[in-house]
Amino acid sequence: MAYDNRGVSPLRITEKSYEKQNRKMRSKHKSETGKTLGSRQTSGTGKRRISFACRFAGMKGGMKDANGSPSKLAMALKKWGFGSKAAAAAFCRKHKKS
């Protein structure tokens, strides 16, 4: 029996691998420091979300990999509720206190 992959999107596979890597990183951080990282803030104007937007808006790299799929930077921005680095930069400028 042949595997039918017509209904499987490459983006889904990328998201799955992104989440797997995220869980691995969080587990490693907890084993090294004993502290749990906070969850993503996908909306609102919390300090952590503003900080994330400011950091990631200035990161080098594109929103697509060499093969045309979303980069890890793009995936992270999407998971935190930003569509692009420009959107994160605008959010940062609007809500940063100093």
Side-chain angles (χ1 to χ4, degrees):
M1 181 169 124
Y3 179 71
D4 180 15
N5 63 355
R6 286 178 285 180
V8 178
S9 156
L11 183 58
R12 248 183 232 174
I13 295 169
T14 303
E15 285 186 28
K16 189 183 285 187
S17 64
Y18 177 85
E19 290 298 331
K20 181 179 177 182
Q21 181 183 11
N22 193 357
R23 281 191 305 274
K24 185 176 177 182
M25 180 271 309
R26 287 171 168 274
S27 174
K28 181 179 177 189
H29 181 268
K30 187 168 184 172
S31 67
E32 289 175 353
T33 64
K35 297 179 181 178
T36 304
L37 293 171
S39 61
R40 294 183 196 110
Q41 295 180 349
T42 57
S43 63
T45 58
K47 286 198 278 187
R48 288 183 43 245
R49 186 162 191 249
I50 295 168
S51 174
F52 173 88
C54 294
R55 276 195 328 268
F56 276 63
M59 287 203 166
K60 294 180 181 176
M63 297 295 281
K64 299 272 184 185
D65 285 338
N67 61 359
S69 63
S71 66
K72 290 181 182 178
L73 172 62
M75 295 296 292
L77 286 168
K78 180 182 170 190
K79 294 290 183 179
W80 279 74
F82 301 105
S84 65
K85 289 195 290 186
F91 182 84
C92 174
R93 281 192 302 273
K94 184 175 181 182
H95 297 290
K96 191 172 180 183
K97 299 222 179 192
S98 57

